[in-house]
Amino acid sequence: MAEVWWLWRLLLTVVVALLFVAPGVPTHPSRWKKALAKKVSQLMDWTKKDRVIRMSDTMFYHFVLDAPKNYSVIVMLTALQAFSSCVMCKGAAEEFQILANSYQRPGAFTTKVFFAIVDYDESPEVFEALQVTSVPSFFHFSAQWKFTTDDIYNLRGRDIVADQMAEWVAERTHVSVRIRQPANYHGLLKPGILLALIGGLGYFLKWNRKSISCRILCEVLTLCFVIVMTSGQMWTYIRGEPYVQRDPHTGHKHYISKFSQAQFAAETFIISLFNMCVSLGMVLLDKAATSMMNIIKRKMMCLAGMCLVAIFFSWLLSLFRFKVPDYPYSFVWD
């Protein structure tokens, strides 16, 4: 398979190189500059409307392959129509859009690089010319009219995520792109819950002023603070971690990161819920041991507490085992 892959890349390199032969550069310098300025101006206008330019066959040949050109174009070849059955294409297009949006932010954008997308159902001639048989595919067409196998984004060595595509773009164009994830509206849920809790607490204290010195209230607030902090909420907020992450190969969303050095925002809520249930189970066990209520209620509280601790602590351990599989969970004697 590896030999076939490299043979296909070599063949594609030859085809694109032939497309670049005799591109029809204007001979007069003033005409060359005028034609180039017109092309860059048109690309700028399209970029202002949409960060990723949707190209047809004619547009691709004129703005990507034809001279004059002093800019690079990062092209995504895809098939986004529903009947094309491309599972990866939608997620890849979203990551490609994030990459283009990050590059177009104020203070970072230049006319050195443009981003374009070509759909198979709209421009099949481009796919035929480049001999592309699988999507999504990413290409870099440089301003120097040079094309190598490195100008093809290697899907075997990299995932289709904005951060890794930005590294590839920096390698090919020497233009650094700092990825900025789009606004996460799920984050509005957290301050909303916090305001609701503060409002409810204020309303409660308004009618129960003596409770402000209540030991149970202070313990509950302290426990909530500890649970929020140990779940990693502050860590994900500081690092700007995403709420979830989409699998570039299947398109499915993952709420728990498989790496021990990373944690999604949704993962912190899951850990908080598990910790709260374990804490509630411990409180019920303590209450069952120290309460003066009848024996039946104490047994029920004890059973409920044991179930909560056993179930949710085992889930916490399973989550930890998923993220850190090499941890010595059991002792092996030699």
Side-chain angles (χ1 to χ4, degrees):
M1 291 297 293
E3 291 77 4
V4 175
W5 167 251
W6 282 107
L7 181 61
W8 178 85
R9 295 186 69 178
L10 181 60
L11 179 61
L12 182 59
T13 300
V14 174
V15 171
V16 176
L18 291 175
L19 291 174
F20 286 164
V21 173
V25 181
T27 57
H28 199 280
S30 62
R31 293 182 179 178
W32 190 93
K33 293 181 180 179
K34 186 176 180 180
L36 177 61
K38 185 177 180 180
K39 291 176 70 174
V40 172
S41 177
Q42 183 63 73
L43 290 172
M44 289 288 293
D45 292 339
W46 285 331
T47 301
K48 291 178 181 178
K49 297 179 181 179
D50 193 351
R51 300 297 186 256
V52 178
I53 304 172
R54 200 174 189 91
M55 288 190 172
S56 62
D57 295 328
T58 305
M59 293 170 59
F60 180 82
Y61 290 126
H62 179 63
F63 290 97
V64 178
L65 300 183
D66 198 9
K69 190 179 73 169
N70 65 347
Y71 52 84
S72 296
V73 184
I74 307 298
V75 180
M76 174 183 177
L77 301 178
T78 185
L80 293 173
Q81 299 296 334
F83 53 81
S84 298
S85 302
C86 178
V87 179
M88 297 171 53
C89 289
K90 183 177 180 181
E94 293 177 358
E95 293 295 324
F96 193 66
Q97 187 73 50
I98 293 174
L99 172 65
N101 292 342
S102 301
Y103 175 64
Q104 308 290 340
R105 74 180 188 276
F109 175 70
T110 65
T111 57
K112 293 182 179 180
V113 181
F114 292 96
F115 294 86
I117 188 170
V118 179
D119 194 278
Y120 175 77
D121 298 293
E122 299 173 0
S123 309
E125 292 182 7
V126 176
F127 286 75
E128 184 178 353
L130 298 179
Q131 297 187 358
V132 175
T133 58
S134 62
V135 289
S137 297
F138 302 89
F139 295 85
H140 165 243
F141 297 93
S142 67
Q144 290 76 29
W145 303 101
K146 296 179 181 179
F147 190 88
T148 66
T149 55
D150 292 330
D151 289 309
I152 306 173
Y153 188 75
N154 187 6
L155 297 180
R156 295 178 180 272
R158 288 169 168 158
D159 291 329
I160 309 178
V161 292
D163 294 288
Q164 296 189 21
M165 287 193 290
E167 295 177 359
W168 173 67
V169 170
E171 293 173 1
R172 307 313 305 157
T173 65
H174 305 290
V175 174
S176 178
V177 182
R178 182 181 178 184
I179 298 301
R180 290 190 176 184
Q181 296 292 337
N184 179 18
Y185 294 100
H186 292 92
L188 297 176
L189 182 64
K190 292 186 286 186
I193 295 176
L194 180 61
L195 290 176
L197 290 175
I198 294 176
L201 180 62
Y203 182 81
F204 175 76
L205 296 178
K206 178 180 178 181
W207 300 104
N208 301 272
R209 297 183 179 181
K210 294 182 179 180
S211 300
I212 196 170
S213 59
C214 179
R215 180 176 62 87
I216 297 178
L217 179 61
C218 293
E219 291 176 350
V220 170
L221 294 177
T222 302
L223 183 60
C224 291
F225 177 79
V226 171
I227 289 175
V228 169
M229 291 297 104
T230 56
S231 65
Q233 286 280 344
M234 190 59 65
W235 187 84
T236 55
Y237 177 78
I238 293 174
R239 290 177 58 94
E241 295 292 333
Y243 186 78
V244 296
Q245 189 174 72
R246 186 188 298 272
D247 191 324
H249 300 289
T250 63
H252 297 157
K253 291 182 178 180
H254 294 286
Y255 296 90
I256 298 176
S257 173
K258 62 181 180 180
F259 302 106
S260 59
Q261 298 85 4
Q263 188 177 30
F264 302 148
E267 185 179 340
T268 61
F269 291 109
I270 296 173
I271 294 175
S272 297
L273 176 62
F274 288 177
N275 286 332
M276 290 175 61
C277 292
V278 172
S279 301
L280 178 60
M282 295 300 296
V283 170
L284 290 177
L285 289 174
D286 178 74
K287 191 70 174 177
T290 58
S291 176
M292 301 301 295
M293 61 181 62
N294 63 72
I295 189 65
I296 297 179
K297 291 183 178 180
R298 292 172 62 184
K299 287 183 178 181
M300 293 179 62
M301 291 177 62
C302 181
L303 180 61
M306 292 177 62
C307 291
L308 286 172
V309 172
I311 294 174
F312 288 96
F313 184 77
S314 65
W315 287 357
L316 273 174
L317 187 61
S318 299
L319 191 150
F320 186 72
R321 187 192 297 269
F322 173 76
K323 296 178 69 69
V324 191
D326 297 331
Y327 186 83
Y329 295 94
S330 61
F331 295 96
V332 179
W333 300 95
D334 295 332

